[in-house]
Amino acid sequence: MSLSDNPGGGDSGGDSGGDSGGDEGGQGDLGGATVVGVETLNVTIPTSLHAQGLAIPAKLVRPKWSKPVGKQAAMLVMHGSGGLLKDGKTKDAPCSDQMESQFATWSDRLAKLGYTVLLPSSYSARGFCDKHTQASKMPKTFDANTEQIIGRIYDLDAASRYLCDRPEVDCERMGLLGFSQGGTMTMLGMHWQLEHAITYFRQTKGNTVDFTMPDLKPGRPEFLVGIAYYPGCGFDGTVPLSTSSNAAVENKYLPSGPLFILHGSDDPLVDHCSTEFGAGSRQIQSGQVATKMKVPNLYDITVYPNAGHSFDSDGANADGGTAEGNLAAKAAALKVALQRIDTALGD
């Protein structure tokens, strides 16, 4: 992914809050066509698209139109550490066919706005469903945090190519949305030096993971926008955290397009994301790289007060924060996310 110099996005560390309400946004002029329904398909991202040769099951959720509309914008959605699918009921079936309610809600919401939505299932592809409840089922090649992040980079890469190739998708208008570990993947999917990061990690720490690290093939699709809900910004060591002026600029983080991070003040994962609520290493790096390369800094973070981790999925019962703070964060973040997606992908 090349470094983009397109203007847009918020100021570094700025407040992304928007005034739009509800499920607003969506596609532009469609010649009078409307969304009359939503369909969900079980698809498989083939091994031929995956640098490590792994087939990734996925859900494809797309709008049904009242008349043909041609290629339209799309969203790639990355699940968090709870997995995409609900737990299965037998030992032989670690996952059910049913998405967790958060992803069923989001994919339906986006499809009703006219977006084709792809949700790859990184965990079920590897024989388990939930990182927390089924850790014993993880393969050796995926049982460390760093291995999960690197492995999912290849999943994201394959999924982006699959989505780009769909006949109903306009590859020039694709966005990325993720939650928790999926938020981390969203940030990495927008990273201006992702290919270099793989090479650098392989050269310096490759012996710490239980798999080979092939290069990504040329031609990886670009994302016009990234929405990262409560990510961990340390990336589990896959990208250096140094903000030293002596550190190589290519080893520092910068999003290649508008990136909007939506976090909670009481979530410990905010540490490397925000200078106001922690070390803010990625926020600092992004400013340093943008200045050095003389390009816009498209790193934007909003931190909601009294909100904890998973406020979007768990609302009042989120991990940390207060019930009132988490519900307020969920409502406010939804407005921001939909507004930013519409601004980037709408006609």
Side-chain angles (χ1 to χ4, degrees):
M1 185 178 291
S2 61
L3 179 62
S4 170
D5 60 359
N6 289 333
D11 295 332
S12 176
D15 185 346
S16 306
D19 295 326
S20 63
D23 291 359
E24 297 180 1
Q27 309 288 0
D29 183 12
L30 296 164
T34 59
V35 176
V36 295
V38 172
E39 63 178 339
T40 300
L41 306 176
N42 289 316
V43 299
T44 300
I45 300 166
T47 58
S48 60
L49 294 179
H50 197 283
Q52 292 181 320
L54 183 67
I56 307 293
K59 297 287 187 178
L60 185 76
V61 184
R62 62 187 182 184
K64 294 181 179 179
W65 296 96
S66 59
K67 61 181 181 179
V69 295
K71 294 177 180 290
Q72 297 297 322
M75 291 293 298
L76 177 59
V77 178
M78 303 298 290
H79 66 72
S81 60
L84 175 69
L85 306 173
K86 292 185 176 182
D87 288 359
K89 296 182 179 180
T90 67
K91 292 182 178 179
D92 295 332
C95 299
S96 74
D97 187 54
Q98 188 175 4
M99 283 189 286
E100 294 283 0
S101 59
Q102 179 186 27
F103 300 109
T105 297
W106 264 102
S107 57
D108 183 73
R109 172 187 290 140
L110 291 170
K112 285 178 178 176
L113 292 173
Y115 302 105
T116 294
V117 186
L118 181 67
L119 307 98
S121 183
S122 291
Y123 290 179
S124 63
R126 294 170 172 87
F128 70 103
C129 196
D130 186 309
K131 173 178 175 176
H132 307 288
T133 63
Q134 299 180 356
S136 63
K137 295 181 180 293
M138 284 187 188
K140 183 180 179 181
T141 54
F142 206 71
D143 62 0
N145 288 340
T146 304
E147 290 175 344
Q148 292 164 29
I149 298 301
I150 295 173
R152 295 194 72 192
I153 288 174
Y154 293 114
D155 299 354
L156 189 154
D157 174 65
S160 69
R161 296 171 192 271
Y162 177 86
L163 186 59
C164 178
D165 289 342
R166 294 287 310 185
E168 66 268 58
V169 170
D170 179 356
C171 188
E172 301 299 317
R173 289 193 294 145
M174 287 172 35
L176 189 53
L177 168 68
F179 304 85
S180 192
Q181 189 185 82
T184 298
M185 302 317 304
T186 294
M187 292 185 68
L188 285 168
M190 302 291 291
H191 183 26
W192 77 299
Q193 289 285 355
L194 184 57
E195 284 78 5
H196 169 77
I198 291 174
T199 300
Y200 185 78
F201 187 94
R202 183 173 59 219
Q203 292 172 346
T204 59
K205 300 180 181 178
N207 61 350
T208 65
V209 296
D210 294 317
F211 51 64
T212 58
M213 294 180 59
D215 292 332
L216 299 178
K217 297 177 182 178
R220 181 164 60 92
E222 301 249 356
F223 295 102
L224 294 188
V225 66
I227 310 290
Y229 272 80
Y230 34 81
C233 293
F235 305 163
D236 289 295
T238 57
V239 177
L241 281 164
S242 176
T243 58
S244 169
S245 59
N246 295 323
V249 67
E250 63 267 22
N251 287 331
K252 294 181 178 181
Y253 183 77
L254 177 74
S256 58
L259 170 70
F260 302 97
I261 300 171
L262 308 172
H263 232 305
S265 64
D266 295 351
D267 186 341
L269 291 185
V270 76
D271 181 19
H272 287 294
C273 306
S274 167
T275 55
E276 183 179 357
F277 292 90
S281 306
R282 300 304 181 197
Q283 188 174 18
I284 294 170
Q285 286 183 342
S286 189
Q288 290 174 331
V289 177
T291 299
K292 178 76 172 180
M293 303 301 293
K294 298 181 180 180
V295 296
N297 182 4
L298 302 181
Y299 185 106
D300 191 290
I301 180 166
T302 299
V303 180
Y304 298 101
N306 303 313
H309 193 65
S310 71
F311 61 77
D312 180 72
S313 59
D314 296 333
N317 298 317
D319 185 10
T322 65
E324 183 180 30
N326 287 316
L327 290 174
K330 179 175 182 175
L334 175 61
K335 292 179 182 179
V336 172
L338 294 179
Q339 182 185 68
R340 300 313 185 190
I341 291 169
D342 180 52
T343 297
L345 303 184
D347 288 333

